[in-house]
Each structure stands twice: as structure tokens, then as C-alpha cells.
Amino acid sequence: MTNLLSRFAKDESGATAIEYGLIAGFVSIAIIVALPTISTELKRIFGLVSTKLSEAK
């Protein structure tokens, strides 16, 4: 029984999974926060490209 408790106390695989989950959560939040800015900038860039292509015809 002591061996089982000792192995359970030393097992860090659950902590690692939680850490990876937290990292994924923080990255998701950062993407969601940055998305409106990136979207606006991409629309502007593609608009410029479209205008230049229309002028080149």
C-alpha cells in the first residue's frame, strides 16, 4: 500500500496535462483577442490588392 501511495505522489502526468491545457487556453484567448485587429488589417490589404489588380486590366 505504501508503494502505491509513493508512486501516486511522484506521478506528475496529470499536472503536465493540466499545464498543457492551460497553455492551450491562453493561446486560444490571445487568438480571440487579436482576431478583430488581424481581420481588419487583412481586409484592408486584400482591398488594396484587388484595387491594384482592377487598375492593371
Side-chain angles (χ1 to χ4, degrees):
M1 185 68 170
T2 341
N3 188 18
L4 179 65
L5 291 175
S6 175
R7 281 188 299 153
F8 178 74
K10 291 180 183 177
D11 185 18
E12 295 183 4
S13 61
T16 304
I18 291 172
E19 290 168 355
Y20 282 130
L22 286 172
I23 291 170
F26 289 137
V27 168
S28 299
I29 290 171
I31 289 171
I32 290 170
V33 168
L35 197 59
T37 305
I38 293 170
S39 173
T40 304
E41 187 65 19
L42 282 175
K43 286 179 186 177
R44 186 186 69 77
I45 290 171
F46 282 117
L48 287 172
V49 170
S50 175
T51 303
K52 294 293 182 181
L53 287 173
S54 294
E55 291 172 357
K57 288 183 181 180

